[in-house]
Amino acid sequence: MNKCGIFDSGIGGISVAKEILKTKLFDEIIYYGDTARVPYGNKNESTIIRYSLEALEFLKNFDINFLVVACNTASAVAVNELKKEAPFPVLGVIEAGVEALKNEDKNSNILLVGTKRTIKSNKYQNLLKNKGFQNITAIATPLFVPLVEEGLVEGEITDKIFDMYFKNIDKEKIDIVILGCTHYPFLTKTFEKHFKNAKLIHSGQAIVKMIKNNYNLKGKKDTKIRLFASDNPEELRNRAEEWLNVGG
Ligand code: DGL
């Protein structure tokens, strides 16, 4: 039995689960969202590491073969600690997102958006620089998380918040936007509207590429997903039904 664990700070990681589900490479996905303690994006590193290690302990109960850290914030600060403690491979979405850019022009103008902690950690920026990318603008856009959770993925309010965050950016000159947060893929249409010339990098799609390139997984499985949350699991299951069209 091939089982993939997915850990997120809350419900946003469903955007990553959705892409992994589509591959049909796993018999089972075990999703754990730390909904009692979300958001992670404005917490300090040691707290996020502690929460992530607790999530690992929970997921160890399910005999998973992989752990995907869907949360960009946890990927930014806790992946090394998780790798040390886990008896299975741990894949973070940040490495995957940067890997997805390997064939892009090194002079591309890259816009990175994420939570405050993700941006402050400099993890994306350092990995991108190591790959030769120099033109990186990084902006913390924390208001996008509640916008998505309220279903405000398009429209006047969303456009105004985009205008506020990106007022100093020449949007037409941006070639690549890294959606460095679980929630942001749900804003794809608005990103496409504001960044007409940009390619969008989605963590879920990037992690799927990484799994396919590095692990010899085959077959078309009828993947089941089991959803767990540290608070209000019904809300997670309702969101999953809405976003994935599957039940708990
Ligand atoms: N899951 C988080 C991320 O991808 C967003 C929500 C939070 O701040 O916990 O960074």
Side-chain angles (χ1 to χ4, degrees), residues 94-95 97-99 101-102 104-108 110 112 118-138 178:
I94 295 188
E95 287 85 351
V98 172
E99 186 60 26
L101 295 180
K102 71 170 187 252
E104 299 297 330
D105 181 347
K106 298 291 183 278
N107 294 317
S108 301
I110 300 179
L112 164 68
T118 298
I119 300 302
K120 264 197 200 140
S121 77
N122 276 318
K123 178 145 179 186
Y124 268 112
Q125 297 92 314
N126 291 337
L127 290 175
L128 288 165
K129 283 183 188 148
N130 288 345
K131 297 253 179 222
F133 293 101
Q134 293 303 330
N135 305 322
I136 308 157
T137 306
I178 300 180

Side-chain angles (χ1 to χ4, degrees), residues 8-10 38-42 70-74 115 118 145 180-183:
D8 183 41
S9 57
V38 70
Y40 282 13
N42 49 18
C71 179
N72 278 263
T73 307
T115 65
T118 298
V145 170
C181 174
T182 46
H183 289 63

Side-chain angles (χ1 to χ4, degrees), residues 217-236:
L217 296 170
K218 296 236 156 59
K220 288 245 171 278
K221 308 264 169 57
D222 179 17
T223 312
K224 307 227 165 356
I225 182 163
R226 294 175 70 192
L227 301 160
F228 297 91
S230 51
D231 185 46
N232 207 352
E234 302 75 34
E235 168 67 10
L236 174 66

Side-chain angles (χ1 to χ4, degrees), residues 51-107:
Y51 291 173
S52 301
L53 290 172
E54 286 171 15
L56 172 66
E57 284 311 306
F58 176 76
L59 285 163
K60 275 184 186 168
N61 295 317
F62 296 91
D63 294 324
I64 56 175
N65 308 95
F66 284 91
L67 173 60
V68 168
V69 184
C71 179
N72 278 263
T73 307
S75 295
V77 301
V79 156
N80 291 345
E81 280 72 11
L82 288 169
K83 282 185 179 164
K84 275 186 224 149
E85 297 299 323
F88 35 71
V90 175
L91 309 179
V93 286
I94 295 188
E95 287 85 351
V98 172
E99 186 60 26
L101 295 180
K102 71 170 187 252
N103 297 325
E104 299 297 330
D105 181 347
K106 298 291 183 278
N107 294 317

